[in-house]
Amino acid sequence: MQVPAEEMPAVSEASRTVIREAKAAGVYVFGGGINSGVASLMVSADGSCETRTYPQTSEFDGGFCVLELPSRDEAISWAARLAAACRCAQELREFHYDSES
């Protein structure tokens, strides 16, 4: 996200508008930003911890928005709305359904 500081309030409001629309449409599940002030922690099966992350995510900065949608096309449409609001591309992922979760 390459947005001048003076434009961030407008970007924030635009993205929140899309989230409010998702909530009104009944498709919003949850969302939130990554707290960049807290270091990532890798926790092993034995409970030991290291302050690190996977190499491919070491520069991750941003947040998540989880929507429950009937199709991939709908997901692409919502992702495009968020991309326009945030002024940057959005990565679209699909959760694997697990009846035990």
Side-chain angles (χ1 to χ4, degrees):
M1 179 181 260
Q2 302 292 323
V3 178
E6 65 272 7
E7 294 180 29
M8 280 306 293
V11 170
S12 293
E13 180 54 31
S15 65
R16 288 185 178 111
T17 295
V18 176
I19 296 302
R20 287 192 290 271
E21 291 168 355
K23 288 178 178 180
V27 299
Y28 182 85
V29 177
F30 73 91
I34 300 299
N35 185 345
S36 61
V38 177
S40 59
L41 193 63
M42 188 68 74
V43 181
S44 297
D46 66 4
S48 62
C49 301
E50 293 181 70
T51 304
R52 67 180 185 91
T53 187
Y54 294 112
Q56 64 270 31
T57 60
S58 64
E59 294 184 34
F60 182 80
D61 185 24
F64 294 91
C65 176
V66 177
L67 305 178
E68 186 172 351
L69 299 161
S71 70
R72 188 158 181 87
D73 287 341
E74 287 277 332
I76 291 169
S77 177
W78 280 100
R81 292 170 72 176
L82 284 165
C86 294
R87 303 180 191 177
C88 65
Q90 302 293 299
E91 181 177 354
L92 177 62
R93 295 288 185 119
E94 185 173 327
F95 279 102
H96 172 73
Y97 176 75
D98 178 354
S99 62
E100 296 292 320
S101 295

